[in-house]
Amino acid sequence: MPSAPGFRYQAFPSVGSTNAVAMDAARSGDAGKLWVISQEQTAGRARRGRGWSSARGNLYASLLLMEPMPEERLGNLPMVAAIALADAVEAACGVLGLVKLKWPNDLLVDGRKISGILLEALPLSGEQGAIVCGFGVNCAHHPDLGLYPAGDLAMFGYRIAPEHLFAHLAKSVAGRLDQWRENDGFAGIRKDWLARASGIGERITVRYPDREIAGVFLGIEQDGRLRLRLDNGLVEHVSAGDVFFG
């Protein structure tokens, strides 16, 4: 197993969902700092309840954390996770600048989505709650997403074993979480996210479950929300939504 002091690991050949296993551990009183890794998922999940193709050959890993629950801090975590995963992919492939980021936490290589990150929260007692951060990376193959072009590392010439990528991920997540927990730690995360950002200054569409809005992507706020200048000149701050370029 990779070296990440203070973290534990559970590895499985197959599970329904690594996020679900981590959530069950939280409900059973696990103290957190637990990685759940599986060679495949039979019921993988993405945002908004979508399925996530989870055949063998790709990376499926979820991290259970126990964190204070203030909403303004939890809103930072999608970008913390994205930067940590971008660090890990570039380290595993040995190529700086390989990855671009699509708000808030999609990794792109040559304009194609190669990963999914799903964060779920479970209130427990007092001010603490369980946070599960699930990572899926297309190492050897990729699904047809329909909504957005997808890709995998192998198609770009990077043949990375899931366990090799996970070793880098465990290290980068530990480091980025330590950075985030420092005073003004998210400022550094935000700076690094913007350095990899795709689409700033371009026209984008943000889709919600019941509507969509379009405008120019101006960047992100200090708390990570997307800034969008609408066609009427007003600026809208987006907390959640699916972003499409063009």
Tab-separated table of all heavy atoms in Angstrom, residues 25 27 50 145 220 240 242:
chain	number	residue	atom	x	y	z
A	25	ALA	N	-19.124	2.600	6.542
A	25	ALA	CA	-18.113	2.640	7.597
A	25	ALA	C	-18.363	3.811	8.543
A	25	ALA	O	-18.229	3.680	9.771
A	25	ALA	CB	-16.714	2.738	6.986
A	27	ARG	N	-21.264	5.250	9.187
A	27	ARG	CA	-22.458	4.945	9.992
A	27	ARG	C	-22.139	3.948	11.102
A	27	ARG	O	-22.808	3.922	12.130
A	27	ARG	CB	-23.561	4.396	9.097
A	27	ARG	CG	-24.114	5.406	8.093
A	27	ARG	CD	-25.310	4.835	7.349
A	27	ARG	NE	-25.784	5.759	6.329
A	27	ARG	CZ	-25.467	5.684	5.035
A	27	ARG	NH1	-24.654	4.707	4.616
A	27	ARG	NH2	-25.945	6.557	4.173
A	50	ARG	N	-26.400	9.894	-11.634
A	50	ARG	CA	-26.042	9.200	-12.860
A	50	ARG	C	-25.153	7.995	-12.539
A	50	ARG	O	-24.426	7.976	-11.569
A	50	ARG	CB	-25.288	10.140	-13.816
A	50	ARG	CG	-26.045	11.410	-14.175
A	50	ARG	CD	-25.187	12.300	-15.081
A	50	ARG	NE	-25.837	13.590	-15.333
A	50	ARG	CZ	-25.281	14.766	-15.125
A	50	ARG	NH1	-24.053	14.840	-14.651
A	50	ARG	NH2	-25.934	15.875	-15.391
A	145	LEU	N	-19.961	9.127	-22.469
A	145	LEU	CA	-20.758	9.946	-21.556
A	145	LEU	C	-21.971	10.568	-22.227
A	145	LEU	O	-22.946	10.915	-21.568
A	145	LEU	CB	-19.887	11.053	-20.953
A	145	LEU	CG	-18.710	10.594	-20.096
A	145	LEU	CD1	-17.907	11.785	-19.613
A	145	LEU	CD2	-19.193	9.771	-18.914
A	220	ILE	N	-13.262	32.331	-10.814
A	220	ILE	CA	-13.934	31.833	-9.622
A	220	ILE	C	-13.725	32.798	-8.458
A	220	ILE	O	-12.717	33.501	-8.381
A	220	ILE	CB	-13.447	30.427	-9.236
A	220	ILE	CG1	-11.931	30.401	-9.022
A	220	ILE	CG2	-13.853	29.407	-10.287
A	220	ILE	CD1	-11.410	29.070	-8.509
A	240	ALA	N	-23.256	25.387	-8.084
A	240	ALA	CA	-23.279	24.012	-8.604
A	240	ALA	C	-23.961	24.002	-9.958
A	240	ALA	O	-24.897	24.775	-10.211
A	240	ALA	CB	-24.012	23.092	-7.631
A	242	ASP	N	-23.608	21.881	-14.243
A	242	ASP	CA	-22.783	21.229	-15.248
A	242	ASP	C	-22.346	22.256	-16.291
A	242	ASP	O	-23.183	22.944	-16.879
A	242	ASP	CB	-23.555	20.104	-15.934
A	242	ASP	CG	-23.854	18.945	-15.000
A	242	ASP	OD1	-22.994	18.640	-14.150
A	242	ASP	OD2	-24.935	18.355	-15.102
